[in-house]
mmCIF file of all heavy atoms in Angstrom:
data_model
loop_
_atom_site.group_PDB
_atom_site.id
_atom_site.type_symbol
_atom_site.label_atom_id
_atom_site.label_comp_id
_atom_site.label_asym_id
_atom_site.label_seq_id
_atom_site.Cartn_x
_atom_site.Cartn_y
_atom_site.Cartn_z
ATOM 1 N N TYR A 53 5.753 36.254 -25.592
ATOM 2 C CA TYR A 53 7.036 36.883 -25.915
ATOM 3 C C TYR A 53 6.993 37.379 -27.352
ATOM 4 O O TYR A 53 6.612 36.641 -28.256
ATOM 5 C CB TYR A 53 8.183 35.883 -25.760
ATOM 6 C CG TYR A 53 9.500 36.414 -26.249
ATOM 7 C CD1 TYR A 53 10.196 37.354 -25.501
ATOM 8 C CD2 TYR A 53 10.033 36.021 -27.458
ATOM 9 C CE1 TYR A 53 11.397 37.876 -25.952
ATOM 10 C CE2 TYR A 53 11.232 36.529 -27.918
ATOM 11 C CZ TYR A 53 11.902 37.450 -27.155
ATOM 12 O OH TYR A 53 13.092 37.968 -27.609
ATOM 13 N N ARG A 54 7.385 38.617 -27.539
ATOM 14 C CA ARG A 54 7.487 39.185 -28.878
ATOM 15 C C ARG A 54 8.937 39.532 -29.140
ATOM 16 O O ARG A 54 9.537 40.301 -28.387
ATOM 17 C CB ARG A 54 6.644 40.455 -28.994
ATOM 18 C CG ARG A 54 5.201 40.188 -29.128
ATOM 19 C CD ARG A 54 4.496 41.465 -29.574
ATOM 20 N NE ARG A 54 3.101 41.325 -29.263
ATOM 21 C CZ ARG A 54 2.351 42.251 -28.710
ATOM 22 N NH1 ARG A 54 2.869 43.419 -28.436
ATOM 23 N NH2 ARG A 54 1.097 42.027 -28.449
ATOM 24 N N HIS A 55 9.452 38.980 -30.210
ATOM 25 C CA HIS A 55 10.832 39.284 -30.600
ATOM 26 C C HIS A 55 10.945 40.754 -30.991
ATOM 27 O O HIS A 55 11.889 41.438 -30.626
ATOM 28 C CB HIS A 55 11.239 38.376 -31.759
ATOM 29 C CG HIS A 55 12.629 38.577 -32.227
ATOM 30 N ND1 HIS A 55 13.727 38.288 -31.454
ATOM 31 C CD2 HIS A 55 13.114 39.057 -33.380
ATOM 32 C CE1 HIS A 55 14.818 38.594 -32.118
ATOM 33 N NE2 HIS A 55 14.478 39.051 -33.292
ATOM 34 N N LEU A 56 9.969 41.235 -31.745
ATOM 35 C CA LEU A 56 9.913 42.629 -32.173
ATOM 36 C C LEU A 56 8.476 43.114 -32.069
ATOM 37 O O LEU A 56 7.533 42.321 -32.150
ATOM 38 C CB LEU A 56 10.358 42.770 -33.626
ATOM 39 C CG LEU A 56 11.814 42.472 -33.933
ATOM 40 C CD1 LEU A 56 12.018 42.382 -35.437
ATOM 41 C CD2 LEU A 56 12.705 43.550 -33.350
ATOM 42 N N GLU A 57 8.306 44.408 -31.935
ATOM 43 C CA GLU A 57 6.974 44.991 -31.947
ATOM 44 C C GLU A 57 6.409 44.903 -33.366
ATOM 45 O O GLU A 57 7.167 44.844 -34.325
ATOM 46 C CB GLU A 57 7.029 46.451 -31.480
ATOM 47 C CG GLU A 57 7.440 46.619 -30.031
ATOM 48 C CD GLU A 57 6.474 45.979 -29.059
ATOM 49 O OE1 GLU A 57 5.250 46.069 -29.282
ATOM 50 O OE2 GLU A 57 6.938 45.377 -28.079
ATOM 51 N N PRO A 58 5.101 44.900 -33.516
ATOM 52 C CA PRO A 58 4.528 44.872 -34.868
ATOM 53 C C PRO A 58 5.008 46.074 -35.686
ATOM 54 O O PRO A 58 5.108 47.188 -35.180
ATOM 55 C CB PRO A 58 3.021 44.951 -34.622
ATOM 56 C CG PRO A 58 2.837 44.491 -33.218
ATOM 57 C CD PRO A 58 4.077 44.874 -32.478
ATOM 58 N N GLY A 59 5.349 45.832 -36.948
ATOM 59 C CA GLY A 59 5.804 46.912 -37.818
ATOM 60 C C GLY A 59 7.273 47.234 -37.688
ATOM 61 O O GLY A 59 7.741 48.229 -38.236
ATOM 62 N N GLN A 60 8.021 46.400 -36.962
ATOM 63 C CA GLN A 60 9.450 46.643 -36.812
ATOM 64 C C GLN A 60 10.256 45.529 -37.467
ATOM 65 O O GLN A 60 9.790 44.405 -37.623
ATOM 66 C CB GLN A 60 9.839 46.733 -35.336
ATOM 67 C CG GLN A 60 9.447 48.029 -34.681
ATOM 68 C CD GLN A 60 10.096 48.172 -33.325
ATOM 69 O OE1 GLN A 60 10.308 47.205 -32.612
ATOM 70 N NE2 GLN A 60 10.406 49.404 -32.967
ATOM 71 N N ALA A 61 11.481 45.866 -37.826
ATOM 72 C CA ALA A 61 12.445 44.908 -38.360
ATOM 73 C C ALA A 61 13.714 45.032 -37.520
ATOM 74 O O ALA A 61 13.853 45.950 -36.714
ATOM 75 C CB ALA A 61 12.727 45.200 -39.824
ATOM 76 N N LEU A 62 14.627 44.101 -37.722
ATOM 77 C CA LEU A 62 15.852 44.083 -36.930
ATOM 78 C C LEU A 62 17.049 44.301 -37.838
ATOM 79 O O LEU A 62 17.187 43.662 -38.879
ATOM 80 C CB LEU A 62 15.987 42.746 -36.205
ATOM 81 C CG LEU A 62 17.068 42.641 -35.156
ATOM 82 C CD1 LEU A 62 16.803 43.607 -34.015
ATOM 83 C CD2 LEU A 62 17.139 41.227 -34.620
ATOM 84 N N LEU A 63 17.911 45.223 -37.449
ATOM 85 C CA LEU A 63 19.149 45.515 -38.161
ATOM 86 C C LEU A 63 20.293 45.085 -37.254
ATOM 87 O O LEU A 63 20.385 45.543 -36.110
ATOM 88 C CB LEU A 63 19.231 47.009 -38.474
ATOM 89 C CG LEU A 63 20.471 47.528 -39.169
ATOM 90 C CD1 LEU A 63 20.623 46.890 -40.538
ATOM 91 C CD2 LEU A 63 20.402 49.032 -39.301
ATOM 92 N N LYS A 64 21.148 44.171 -37.754
ATOM 93 C CA LYS A 64 22.267 43.677 -36.956
ATOM 94 C C LYS A 64 23.578 44.126 -37.586
ATOM 95 O O LYS A 64 23.786 43.974 -38.786
ATOM 96 C CB LYS A 64 22.272 42.148 -36.902
ATOM 97 C CG LYS A 64 21.222 41.555 -36.028
ATOM 98 C CD LYS A 64 21.405 40.061 -35.944
ATOM 99 C CE LYS A 64 20.330 39.441 -35.095
ATOM 100 N NZ LYS A 64 20.523 37.982 -34.974
ATOM 101 N N LEU A 65 24.439 44.673 -36.772
ATOM 102 C CA LEU A 65 25.798 45.024 -37.168
ATOM 103 C C LEU A 65 26.690 44.002 -36.493
ATOM 104 O O LEU A 65 26.791 43.976 -35.264
ATOM 105 C CB LEU A 65 26.138 46.445 -36.705
ATOM 106 C CG LEU A 65 27.548 46.946 -36.955
ATOM 107 C CD1 LEU A 65 27.834 47.010 -38.450
ATOM 108 C CD2 LEU A 65 27.734 48.311 -36.328
ATOM 109 N N SER A 66 27.291 43.124 -37.290
ATOM 110 C CA SER A 66 28.011 41.999 -36.708
ATOM 111 C C SER A 66 29.221 41.634 -37.554
ATOM 112 O O SER A 66 29.068 41.245 -38.710
ATOM 113 C CB SER A 66 27.066 40.802 -36.605
ATOM 114 O OG SER A 66 27.762 39.665 -36.175
ATOM 115 N N LEU A 109 27.372 53.737 -38.557
ATOM 116 C CA LEU A 109 26.176 53.221 -39.219
ATOM 117 C C LEU A 109 25.111 54.308 -39.209
ATOM 118 O O LEU A 109 24.756 54.819 -38.150
ATOM 119 C CB LEU A 109 25.677 51.976 -38.477
ATOM 120 C CG LEU A 109 24.476 51.241 -39.017
ATOM 121 C CD1 LEU A 109 24.788 50.631 -40.370
ATOM 122 C CD2 LEU A 109 24.054 50.147 -38.053
ATOM 123 N N LEU A 111 21.236 55.461 -40.706
ATOM 124 C CA LEU A 111 19.970 55.026 -41.274
ATOM 125 C C LEU A 111 19.163 56.277 -41.576
ATOM 126 O O LEU A 111 18.855 57.055 -40.663
ATOM 127 C CB LEU A 111 19.225 54.112 -40.299
ATOM 128 C CG LEU A 111 18.006 53.403 -40.840
ATOM 129 C CD1 LEU A 111 18.416 52.368 -41.882
ATOM 130 C CD2 LEU A 111 17.234 52.733 -39.732
ATOM 131 N N ILE A 116 23.064 55.974 -36.136
ATOM 132 C CA ILE A 116 22.499 55.121 -35.081
ATOM 133 C C ILE A 116 23.592 54.372 -34.327
ATOM 134 O O ILE A 116 23.344 53.844 -33.255
ATOM 135 C CB ILE A 116 21.439 54.140 -35.621
ATOM 136 C CG1 ILE A 116 22.010 53.216 -36.683
ATOM 137 C CG2 ILE A 116 20.240 54.888 -36.155
ATOM 138 C CD1 ILE A 116 21.040 52.120 -37.109
ATOM 139 N N TYR A 135 29.084 43.529 -32.326
ATOM 140 C CA TYR A 135 27.771 42.896 -32.455
ATOM 141 C C TYR A 135 26.759 43.805 -31.781
ATOM 142 O O TYR A 135 26.784 43.983 -30.568
ATOM 143 C CB TYR A 135 27.735 41.513 -31.806
ATOM 144 C CG TYR A 135 26.364 40.882 -31.906
ATOM 145 C CD1 TYR A 135 25.947 40.294 -33.093
ATOM 146 C CD2 TYR A 135 25.480 40.912 -30.845
ATOM 147 C CE1 TYR A 135 24.689 39.746 -33.206
ATOM 148 C CE2 TYR A 135 24.223 40.369 -30.949
ATOM 149 C CZ TYR A 135 23.835 39.777 -32.128
ATOM 150 O OH TYR A 135 22.578 39.239 -32.248
ATOM 151 N N GLU A 136 25.890 44.383 -32.586
ATOM 152 C CA GLU A 136 24.826 45.229 -32.044
ATOM 153 C C GLU A 136 23.553 44.980 -32.819
ATOM 154 O O GLU A 136 23.587 44.671 -34.006
ATOM 155 C CB GLU A 136 25.216 46.707 -32.129
ATOM 156 C CG GLU A 136 26.312 47.059 -31.159
ATOM 157 C CD GLU A 136 26.340 48.521 -30.822
ATOM 158 O OE1 GLU A 136 25.262 49.137 -30.676
ATOM 159 O OE2 GLU A 136 27.449 49.047 -30.720
ATOM 160 N N ARG A 137 22.429 45.143 -32.134
ATOM 161 C CA ARG A 137 21.110 44.949 -32.735
ATOM 162 C C ARG A 137 20.320 46.240 -32.604
ATOM 163 O O ARG A 137 20.363 46.885 -31.561
ATOM 164 C CB ARG A 137 20.356 43.840 -32.004
ATOM 165 C CG ARG A 137 21.053 42.530 -31.989
ATOM 166 C CD ARG A 137 20.511 41.575 -30.925
ATOM 167 N NE ARG A 137 19.113 41.723 -30.642
ATOM 168 C CZ ARG A 137 18.194 40.769 -30.798
ATOM 169 N NH1 ARG A 137 18.559 39.595 -31.194
ATOM 170 N NH2 ARG A 137 16.935 40.989 -30.529
ATOM 171 N N PHE A 138 19.594 46.567 -33.663
ATOM 172 C CA PHE A 138 18.780 47.774 -33.664
ATOM 173 C C PHE A 138 17.392 47.428 -34.183
ATOM 174 O O PHE A 138 17.267 46.927 -35.310
ATOM 175 C CB PHE A 138 19.397 48.858 -34.566
ATOM 176 C CG PHE A 138 20.824 49.173 -34.235
ATOM 177 C CD1 PHE A 138 21.863 48.568 -34.917
ATOM 178 C CD2 PHE A 138 21.126 50.067 -33.232
ATOM 179 C CE1 PHE A 138 23.178 48.845 -34.613
ATOM 180 C CE2 PHE A 138 22.441 50.358 -32.914
ATOM 181 C CZ PHE A 138 23.469 49.752 -33.606
ATOM 182 N N ALA A 139 16.377 47.695 -33.396
ATOM 183 C CA ALA A 139 14.998 47.544 -33.861
ATOM 184 C C ALA A 139 14.638 48.826 -34.605
ATOM 185 O O ALA A 139 14.739 49.920 -34.048
ATOM 186 C CB ALA A 139 14.058 47.311 -32.687
ATOM 187 N N VAL A 140 14.256 48.686 -35.869
ATOM 188 C CA VAL A 140 13.959 49.846 -36.716
ATOM 189 C C VAL A 140 12.590 49.665 -37.349
ATOM 190 O O VAL A 140 12.111 48.529 -37.501
ATOM 191 C CB VAL A 140 15.037 50.039 -37.801
ATOM 192 C CG1 VAL A 140 16.386 50.325 -37.168
ATOM 193 C CG2 VAL A 140 15.129 48.856 -38.718
ATOM 194 N N PRO A 141 11.944 50.748 -37.745
ATOM 195 C CA PRO A 141 10.656 50.613 -38.414
ATOM 196 C C PRO A 141 10.819 49.901 -39.754
ATOM 197 O O PRO A 141 11.810 50.112 -40.465
ATOM 198 C CB PRO A 141 10.188 52.050 -38.633
ATOM 199 C CG PRO A 141 11.093 52.916 -37.841
ATOM 200 C CD PRO A 141 12.324 52.140 -37.541
ATOM 201 N N ALA A 142 9.858 49.065 -40.077
ATOM 202 C CA ALA A 142 9.892 48.373 -41.363
ATOM 203 C C ALA A 142 9.666 49.387 -42.479
ATOM 204 O O ALA A 142 9.108 50.460 -42.268
ATOM 205 C CB ALA A 142 8.819 47.290 -41.399
ATOM 206 N N GLY A 143 10.132 49.051 -43.682
ATOM 207 C CA GLY A 143 9.959 49.935 -44.831
ATOM 208 C C GLY A 143 11.261 50.111 -45.582
ATOM 209 O O GLY A 143 12.233 49.392 -45.361
ATOM 210 N N HIS A 145 14.614 52.144 -46.437
ATOM 211 C CA HIS A 145 15.533 53.051 -45.741
ATOM 212 C C HIS A 145 16.817 53.201 -46.549
ATOM 213 O O HIS A 145 17.192 52.332 -47.331
ATOM 214 C CB HIS A 145 15.899 52.499 -44.357
ATOM 215 C CG HIS A 145 14.737 52.337 -43.438
ATOM 216 N ND1 HIS A 145 14.192 53.386 -42.755
ATOM 217 C CD2 HIS A 145 14.006 51.246 -43.107
ATOM 218 C CE1 HIS A 145 13.178 52.938 -42.020
ATOM 219 N NE2 HIS A 145 13.057 51.650 -42.232
ATOM 220 N N LEU A 147 20.686 53.165 -46.076
ATOM 221 C CA LEU A 147 21.670 52.669 -45.123
ATOM 222 C C LEU A 147 23.066 53.055 -45.602
ATOM 223 O O LEU A 147 23.415 52.817 -46.757
ATOM 224 C CB LEU A 147 21.551 51.146 -45.007
ATOM 225 C CG LEU A 147 22.430 50.452 -43.987
ATOM 226 C CD1 LEU A 147 22.062 50.885 -42.569
ATOM 227 C CD2 LEU A 147 22.298 48.948 -44.121
ATOM 228 N N VAL A 168 17.640 49.891 -48.681
ATOM 229 C CA VAL A 168 17.229 48.555 -48.236
ATOM 230 C C VAL A 168 15.738 48.556 -47.919
ATOM 231 O O VAL A 168 15.183 49.543 -47.461
ATOM 232 C CB VAL A 168 18.031 48.102 -46.990
ATOM 233 C CG1 VAL A 168 19.486 47.902 -47.328
ATOM 234 C CG2 VAL A 168 17.894 49.076 -45.840
ATOM 235 N N ARG A 169 15.110 47.425 -48.196
ATOM 236 C CA ARG A 169 13.693 47.242 -47.874
ATOM 237 C C ARG A 169 13.624 46.248 -46.716
ATOM 238 O O ARG A 169 14.045 45.100 -46.850
ATOM 239 C CB ARG A 169 12.930 46.703 -49.075
ATOM 240 C CG ARG A 169 11.452 46.454 -48.784
ATOM 241 C CD ARG A 169 10.701 45.975 -50.000
ATOM 242 N NE ARG A 169 10.742 46.922 -51.099
ATOM 243 C CZ ARG A 169 9.939 47.995 -51.194
ATOM 244 N NH1 ARG A 169 9.062 48.242 -50.251
ATOM 245 N NH2 ARG A 169 10.031 48.808 -52.231
ATOM 246 N N LEU A 170 13.099 46.723 -45.601
ATOM 247 C CA LEU A 170 12.980 45.886 -44.412
ATOM 248 C C LEU A 170 11.518 45.500 -44.214
ATOM 249 O O LEU A 170 10.686 46.364 -43.949
ATOM 250 C CB LEU A 170 13.507 46.629 -43.179
ATOM 251 C CG LEU A 170 14.968 47.054 -43.221
ATOM 252 C CD1 LEU A 170 15.295 47.956 -42.057
ATOM 253 C CD2 LEU A 170 15.850 45.840 -43.210
ATOM 254 N N ALA A 171 11.236 44.230 -44.322
ATOM 255 C CA ALA A 171 9.884 43.737 -44.092
ATOM 256 C C ALA A 171 9.674 43.572 -42.585
ATOM 257 O O ALA A 171 10.628 43.311 -41.844
ATOM 258 C CB ALA A 171 9.692 42.399 -44.804
ATOM 259 N N PRO A 172 8.443 43.716 -42.101
ATOM 260 C CA PRO A 172 8.188 43.548 -40.667
ATOM 261 C C PRO A 172 8.623 42.164 -40.187
ATOM 262 O O PRO A 172 8.357 41.152 -40.825
ATOM 263 C CB PRO A 172 6.674 43.714 -40.545
ATOM 264 C CG PRO A 172 6.278 44.491 -41.757
ATOM 265 C CD PRO A 172 7.234 44.090 -42.830
ATOM 266 N N GLY A 173 9.349 42.142 -39.082
ATOM 267 C CA GLY A 173 9.789 40.892 -38.481
ATOM 268 C C GLY A 173 11.026 40.278 -39.115
ATOM 269 O O GLY A 173 11.496 39.252 -38.647
ATOM 270 N N ARG A 174 11.576 40.886 -40.148
ATOM 271 C CA ARG A 174 12.748 40.333 -40.822
ATOM 272 C C ARG A 174 14.033 40.902 -40.229
ATOM 273 O O ARG A 174 14.029 41.911 -39.542
ATOM 274 C CB ARG A 174 12.704 40.624 -42.325
ATOM 275 C CG ARG A 174 11.488 40.092 -43.029
ATOM 276 C CD ARG A 174 11.326 38.615 -42.880
ATOM 277 N NE ARG A 174 12.411 37.941 -43.576
ATOM 278 C CZ ARG A 174 12.445 36.658 -43.812
ATOM 279 N NH1 ARG A 174 11.482 35.888 -43.405
ATOM 280 N NH2 ARG A 174 13.462 36.126 -44.439
ATOM 281 N N VAL A 175 15.165 40.239 -40.552
ATOM 282 C CA VAL A 175 16.468 40.628 -40.029
ATOM 283 C C VAL A 175 17.395 40.966 -41.196
ATOM 284 O O VAL A 175 17.474 40.214 -42.166
ATOM 285 C CB VAL A 175 17.088 39.489 -39.192
ATOM 286 C CG1 VAL A 175 18.469 39.874 -38.696
ATOM 287 C CG2 VAL A 175 16.186 39.126 -38.028
ATOM 288 N N LEU A 176 18.078 42.109 -41.096
ATOM 289 C CA LEU A 176 19.080 42.515 -42.080
ATOM 290 C C LEU A 176 20.422 42.580 -41.356
ATOM 291 O O LEU A 176 20.534 43.216 -40.303
ATOM 292 C CB LEU A 176 18.740 43.883 -42.673
ATOM 293 C CG LEU A 176 19.710 44.402 -43.721
ATOM 294 C CD1 LEU A 176 19.558 43.603 -45.012
ATOM 295 C CD2 LEU A 176 19.465 45.862 -43.984
ATOM 296 N N VAL A 177 21.433 41.905 -41.924
ATOM 297 C CA VAL A 177 22.743 41.834 -41.284
ATOM 298 C C VAL A 177 23.755 42.653 -42.080
ATOM 299 O O VAL A 177 23.842 42.527 -43.298
ATOM 300 C CB VAL A 177 23.227 40.375 -41.168
ATOM 301 C CG1 VAL A 177 24.613 40.311 -40.539
ATOM 302 C CG2 VAL A 177 22.241 39.542 -40.369
ATOM 303 N N VAL A 178 24.505 43.490 -41.372
ATOM 304 C CA VAL A 178 25.612 44.246 -41.959
ATOM 305 C C VAL A 178 26.890 43.588 -41.452
ATOM 306 O O VAL A 178 27.130 43.521 -40.246
ATOM 307 C CB VAL A 178 25.568 45.731 -41.546
ATOM 308 C CG1 VAL A 178 26.769 46.469 -42.098
ATOM 309 C CG2 VAL A 178 24.273 46.369 -41.996
ATOM 310 N N ILE A 189 25.905 43.552 -47.048
ATOM 311 C CA ILE A 189 24.578 43.773 -46.478
ATOM 312 C C ILE A 189 23.679 42.657 -46.999
ATOM 313 O O ILE A 189 23.470 42.539 -48.193
ATOM 314 C CB ILE A 189 24.024 45.147 -46.864
ATOM 315 C CG1 ILE A 189 24.936 46.252 -46.324
ATOM 316 C CG2 ILE A 189 22.605 45.321 -46.341
ATOM 317 C CD1 ILE A 189 24.593 47.637 -46.786
ATOM 318 N N GLN A 190 23.167 41.838 -46.099
ATOM 319 C CA GLN A 190 22.313 40.728 -46.512
ATOM 320 C C GLN A 190 21.185 40.492 -45.531
ATOM 321 O O GLN A 190 21.267 40.694 -44.399
ATOM 322 C CB GLN A 190 23.108 39.462 -46.707
ATOM 323 C CG GLN A 190 23.928 39.066 -45.505
ATOM 324 C CD GLN A 190 24.841 37.883 -45.786
ATOM 325 O OE1 GLN A 190 24.875 37.389 -46.889
ATOM 326 N NE2 GLN A 190 25.562 37.445 -44.801
#
Side-chain angles (χ1 to χ4, degrees):
Y53 172 75
R54 283 194 199 136
H55 181 66
L56 293 168
E57 294 298 320
Q60 284 191 327
L62 190 63
L63 178 62
K64 286 186 182 182
L65 176 63
S66 174
L109 182 65
L111 190 68
I116 59 173
Y135 178 78
E136 289 203 39
R137 302 163 32 120
F138 306 96
V140 297
H145 299 280
L147 184 65
V168 294
R169 178 178 300 279
L170 300 171
R174 302 302 293 191
V175 178
L176 181 72
V177 178
V178 177
I189 299 173
Q190 55 187 2

